[in-house]
Amino acid sequence: MITASYFTAAIVVMAVITFISRYFFFTTSFQIRIPPRIEALFVFTAPCILIALVVPIVFQAGLAESGEIGLLSSSYFWAGLLAIGLSVVIRQTLLVIILSMAGFYALRSFGLS
């Protein structure tokens, strides 16, 4: 049986692992040299994290109600597609965010769930 002390221990272990992994990047006594090819991959870290956070929200909102049909009537889904399309056409991130949010609220006001 999983108890509260199990969860506490798991959180402490995760905190220690996170601290150790970040400590090595910020300490001056221990230098890590990252190859340029690996460093170039860090550019994709933020978009990957954002996608990992957003995609479950987009699909859960539509699929939780009535399957594929519910997905097509979900304002989250259509606003997500709008954001993808705008980001391809417009290269300014803030403008894409503002227009995507406006599109989402417009879809919500027209009655999409």
Side-chain angles (χ1 to χ4, degrees), residues 33-98:
R33 301 213 185 265
I34 300 173
R37 294 183 104 182
I38 301 295
E39 196 169 315
L41 293 175
F42 287 153
V43 174
F44 301 107
T45 303
C48 289
I49 292 172
L50 182 63
I51 289 171
L53 292 172
V54 170
V55 166
I57 295 169
V58 169
F59 286 106
Q60 183 181 12
L63 293 176
E65 295 175 10
S66 58
E68 294 87 17
I69 297 170
L71 183 64
L72 295 177
S73 66
S74 171
S75 58
Y76 290 93
F77 177 72
W78 291 111
L81 289 179
L82 174 67
I84 291 169
L86 288 173
S87 65
V88 169
V89 175
I90 303 170
R91 303 307 294 175
Q92 297 175 349
T93 305
L94 183 60
L95 183 60
V96 169
I97 291 170
I98 292 170

Side-chain angles (χ1 to χ4, degrees), residues 3-26:
T3 61
S5 61
Y6 173 79
F7 285 113
T8 304
I11 290 172
V12 169
V13 168
M14 288 187 286
V16 168
I17 291 171
T18 302
F19 174 77
I20 290 171
S21 66
R22 292 183 180 188
Y23 174 78
F24 288 124
F25 284 105
F26 292 118

